[in-house]
Amino acid sequence: MSTDQNKFQAIISHCKEYGFVFPSSEIYDGLSAVYDYGQYGAELKKNIKDYWWKSMTQLHENIVGLDAAIFMHPTIWKASGHVDNFSDPMIDNKDSNKRYRVDHLLEAFAETLPEAEGNALLAKMDELLKENDFAGLKTLIEDNKIKCSVSGTCNWTEVRQFNLMFSTQLGSVTDEANEIYLRPETAQGIFVNFLNVQKTGRMKVPFGIAQIGKAFRNEIVARQFIFRMREFEQMEMQFFVRPGTQQEWYEKWKEERMQWHLSLGTDPARYRFKDHAKLAHYADAAVDIEFEFPFGFKELEGIHSRTDFDLKQHQEYSRKKIQYFDTEINQNYVPYVIETSIGLDRMFLQVICNAYEEQDLSTPEKADSRVVLKLPAKLAPIKLAVFPLTKKDGLPEAAQLLIKECKQYFHCYYEEKDSIGKRYRRQDAIGTPFCVTIDHQTKEDGTVTIRHRDSMEQERVPLTEVRNIVMNKIM
Ligand code: GAP
């Protein structure tokens, strides 16, 4: 295992140990590719959401928000192309008629092999999946003599496509007419509300609609923690533009989204653009913003020029006119769309991976180390921890007074147990940017020690200044 893979395992363990991310339904042995966010994870996730939402809606006068339902009319997914095109490969055993997802079959078989052989098989599988090489996948199954667990034979059909959408029944009658899907992307909720928002908000093209919400995909390769989940959240923005101007807006949003990422202070060398080799059915141009995760450069966000595909499809399937009258050029048209789409959970993973550091602080006299999450202060779950040096002499009361003053403005944490050093370490591990210690001198001259997480520097400042110091960093 490479050091980076070890680091990734350490990050996963850290997320669990410190209340960021837990496997779903853990007491029942978990549910594959589904995760829950713990007390600090939920805060961090919310802060990421707020940072994105604010940058889109509050900082752009021509972008407004939307919160559409997860359940939508099933024809929407026919119109969008997801019913026909959003699929992954599967295979049937001819003797037992049992159907398998190709990846599940190969993954189960890989687990029976020595680790290196199993990994090589999975790497080959990933390569074939990426190329949509169905014949190659079948050959891989046959060459490895993988058997059906029911019939015990290798008598396989051809590999066929399996739709990634989850479906369920609406109402009590279980016939096909009532089958609906859990949305696989939030974007369609925006498209079908285009006219509602444009008219009620008196929006003028170019304008955008932003949305954050759950999406569901029965993912075929779901092995990298919260990188690829079956239930996840997306933060998407559809920007509606005049036909013919889409290239210009595509370039603008590419640049703007990259700047948003860089605004969080990450080393620019850890990001790159990657043009899509194979375009989705709706796009005329598409690029990924990739981040260097511990398992390599991988997609973090997609920017797609979706043409007028979706609005036109909904116009056709709903038989309702979806057009915009542009008063500047006196013309009706179906707007073109630039989409920016980022997974909230994937952004969470990016933030954690970028922040996680194991530091050796040993001196010749003493072995020492710490794990620190160098989270951007504005995203940290807790902004300020306040410690009384001792549990007596009125120090806890003074600490609580400071918390009372600050908690209206940001999230604080009070801790009086263990040595100050241990308390610092616990806050480092959850990424708290500031710790303040209240000691006996505080009572004499009204000053406290404030300790900065990344540099570990400590300085003496007036108690009355603490709130401003923190506010300046998190705004
Ligand atoms: N509306 C366009 C769309 O959904 P996508 O490239 O399929 O495009 C956009 O997804 C983003 O959603 C990805 O860049 C990724 O951040 C996130 N995403 C997609 N599938 C995911 C999954 N299974 N788990 C977590 N995040 C996912």
Side-chain angles (χ1 to χ4, degrees), residues 116-373:
E117 265 179 65
N119 286 344
L121 179 72
L122 293 178
K124 181 74 191 159
M125 174 187 85
D126 285 350
E127 198 181 297
L128 294 167
L129 283 172
K130 210 166 143 207
E131 286 162 9
N132 280 337
D133 184 348
F134 299 154
L137 285 164
K138 187 181 181 199
T139 308
L140 191 64
I141 291 169
E142 288 174 340
D143 286 353
N144 281 281
K145 302 196 171 43
I146 300 178
K147 294 191 176 89
C148 165
S149 59
V150 178
S151 68
T153 69
C154 304
N155 195 8
W156 297 109
T157 61
E158 296 306 307
V159 171
R160 282 169 299 182
Q161 288 287 66
F162 166 86
N163 198 289
L164 292 186
M165 284 194 293
F166 287 101
S167 64
T168 187
Q169 305 291 329
L170 191 71
S172 55
V173 187
T174 53
D175 63 18
E176 218 174 80
N178 290 317
E179 187 181 41
I180 57 166
Y181 299 102
L182 300 189
R183 64 183 178 198
E185 62 169 13
T186 57
Q188 296 305 323
I190 296 180
F191 290 124
V192 297
N193 277 295
F194 165 74
L195 279 185
N196 282 339
V197 174
Q198 189 271 316
K199 289 199 166 129
T200 57
R202 292 180 293 123
M203 307 301 292
K204 285 199 176 342
V205 167
F207 75 92
I209 304 178
Q211 175 166 226
I212 301 177
K214 289 269 186 182
F216 303 83
R217 295 182 189 180
N218 205 353
E219 285 290 358
I220 179 161
V221 182
R223 280 196 309 270
Q224 282 157 328
F225 189 39
I226 56 170
F227 181 80
R228 200 176 298 286
M229 303 159 88
R230 297 204 162 103
E231 172 182 342
F232 57 103
E233 264 178 276
Q234 287 187 314
M235 306 190 285
E236 299 201 297
M237 195 278 298
Q238 314 296 132
F239 199 74
F240 300 93
V241 304
R242 190 184 287 171
T245 63
Q246 68 270 23
Q247 183 62 30
E248 184 191 314
W249 283 108
Y250 174 70
E251 294 302 332
K252 186 179 173 305
W253 277 109
K254 251 177 87 170
E255 185 51 31
E256 182 146 348
R257 291 305 302 147
M258 183 60 99
Q259 288 311 318
W260 182 83
H261 287 282
L262 297 180
S263 72
L264 288 169
T266 312
D267 176 2
R270 299 192 69 187
Y271 288 108
R272 70 181 187 198
F273 283 118
K274 182 145 181 249
D275 286 318
H276 284 204
K278 189 177 158 205
L279 291 175
H281 58 275
Y282 48 72
D284 72 355
V287 68
D288 289 337
I289 294 180
E290 291 191 335
F291 175 72
E292 189 183 20
F293 288 95
F295 41 88
F297 271 98
K298 292 275 182 266
E299 172 185 353
L300 174 59
E301 168 157 9
I303 295 133
H304 312 124
S305 174
R306 285 181 82 131
T307 67
D308 54 0
F309 175 85
D310 300 87
L311 291 182
K312 273 207 167 137
Q313 288 290 102
H314 290 307
Q315 187 166 251
E316 190 185 324
Y317 277 75
S318 68
R319 296 203 203 92
K320 310 256 163 42
K321 201 164 152 189
I322 305 181
Q323 293 202 350
Y324 171 78
F325 182 70
D326 191 328
T327 48
E328 273 181 35
I329 53 172
N330 261 338
Q331 258 181 40
N332 261 318
Y333 54 75
V334 178
Y336 271 50
V337 173
I338 306 301
E339 167 184 75
T340 72
S341 175
I342 179 166
L344 172 55
D345 313 83
R346 207 171 279 185
M347 185 63 200
F348 182 108
L349 185 61
Q350 184 279 333
V351 168
I352 289 272
C353 289
N354 193 50
Y356 182 90
E357 246 182 69
E358 290 169 8
Q359 294 179 339
D360 183 358
L361 306 173
S362 299
T363 58
E365 295 77 42
K366 195 169 140 229
D368 195 9
S369 66
R370 71 166 180 164
V371 171
V372 55
L373 287 188

